[in-house]
Amino acid sequence: MTDGSKKQAFKLKGTMPALTMLQLLTSDLAQIEEQLVEHISQMPQFFLHAPVMLDLEALRDEPIDLVRLGQILRERRLVPVAVRNPTEPQKERAVAAGWGVLQTTLVRGARTPSPPAAAAEPPAPGKEEPRAATPPPAAVAVAPPPVAERSLGGLTVRSPVRSGQVVYAQGGDLVVLAPVSSGAELIADGNIHVYAPFRGRALAGVHDNPDAAIYCTSLEAEFLSIAGRHVMSDDIPDARRGKPARIHLEGDHVVISAL
């Protein structure tokens, strides 16, 4: 068989699938495993064979056994995939342990303003001002995230958040002014506000902030979490489905009320 007659065996396509992000706040594997078992027991089908990404940002100066952690996840029928925000030593250990490394950020930061250009001299009479050359298209990251604008202590997203995209507002609130599709994930250290149809997942107060809340104008979410306490789509009362709602904690219970 000649090379020209060979059938194509595969195609490479860049995607950003929906991942469960495990933000590690300690390197104590016993504590991680104990609390992981507790979370999985609440919604076993939701976590079954779920791909997991580790966020190592809070462990900048702490070593962690990524080989054993991968084993713990597999024993709980989770699938370890990649790490993000590793230090160089953590990156080397992650690769050696079989983890991938997320090379791009999940959220675009604010653009740095360009310095003002010098005032151009007017063209001489009778001469047409030359047009600026069209710049070549910029390289696009795999599964580009929605364009976001950072404000003081928060993040605002003005374009739709599509399935498979993850937006994380670190250190503040997340405000979304466009629809959030099923399979998309919103994460914030503070509150989450969605002023459009919301069909994805939302995790507010992820660094154990029980005062955080989720506000939306049309609640059709798949998954909601406040400071690690979860509810699924089936737990949303019919009276609140598709309507403005506030999701917050009362004690250890997630409450969905009218907005």
Side-chain angles (χ1 to χ4, degrees), residues 13 16 70 75 91 99 130 138 144 157 159 162 168 173 178 181 183 186-187 193 202 208 212 215 235-237 247:
K13 294 185 177 181
M16 179 65 77
E75 289 168 1
K91 182 187 295 185
W99 293 82
V157 176
S159 58
R162 307 191 186 281
Y168 175 34
D173 292 358
S181 299
L186 308 178
I187 305 171
H193 305 257
D208 198 24
Y215 304 89
D235 299 319
I236 298 175
I247 299 92

Side-chain angles (χ1 to χ4, degrees), residues 24-224:
L24 297 183
L25 306 179
T26 177
S27 59
D28 185 337
L29 294 185
Q31 186 178 1
I32 292 172
E33 183 173 15
E34 178 184 356
Q35 296 185 17
L36 187 63
V37 170
E38 181 181 350
H39 278 287
I40 292 175
S41 66
Q42 297 173 15
M43 295 173 295
Q45 292 305 312
F46 180 81
F47 291 105
L48 182 63
H49 307 310
V52 175
M53 176 172 63
L54 299 182
D55 189 334
L56 302 177
E57 186 170 18
L59 304 182
R60 306 302 286 177
D61 300 319
E62 294 185 47
I64 183 166
D65 188 345
L66 293 173
V67 173
R68 176 57 189 149
L69 182 53
Q71 293 173 346
I72 290 173
L73 294 174
R74 292 186 186 93
E75 289 168 1
R76 303 302 168 188
R77 294 196 286 183
L78 296 168
V79 182
V81 175
V83 300
R84 63 173 299 207
N85 296 322
T87 61
E88 283 301 318
Q90 288 172 340
K91 182 187 295 185
E92 293 176 4
R93 290 195 292 268
V95 172
W99 293 82
V101 178
L102 189 66
Q103 301 289 357
T104 57
T105 57
L106 295 178
V107 176
R108 291 182 190 172
R111 296 179 179 178
T112 303
S114 300
E121 295 183 4
K127 291 186 179 181
E128 183 180 352
E129 185 176 2
R131 296 185 179 182
T134 302
V140 179
V142 172
V147 177
E149 300 174 3
R150 288 198 179 277
S151 57
L152 184 61
L155 186 73
T156 299
V157 176
R158 301 182 182 276
S159 58
V161 186
R162 307 191 186 281
S163 179
Q165 293 180 324
V166 181
V167 181
Y168 175 34
Q170 184 176 11
D173 292 358
L174 173 60
V175 178
V176 182
L177 305 178
V180 179
S181 299
S182 175
E185 189 165 83
L186 308 178
I187 305 171
D189 290 343
N191 304 307
I192 294 176
H193 305 257
V194 184
Y195 298 109
F198 171 42
R199 302 182 179 90
R201 301 167 29 138
L203 297 86
V206 292
H207 284 293
D208 198 24
N209 176 10
D211 295 324
I214 300 168
Y215 304 89
C216 60
T217 55
S218 180
L219 179 60
E220 304 170 47
E222 301 170 318
F223 175 84
L224 300 165

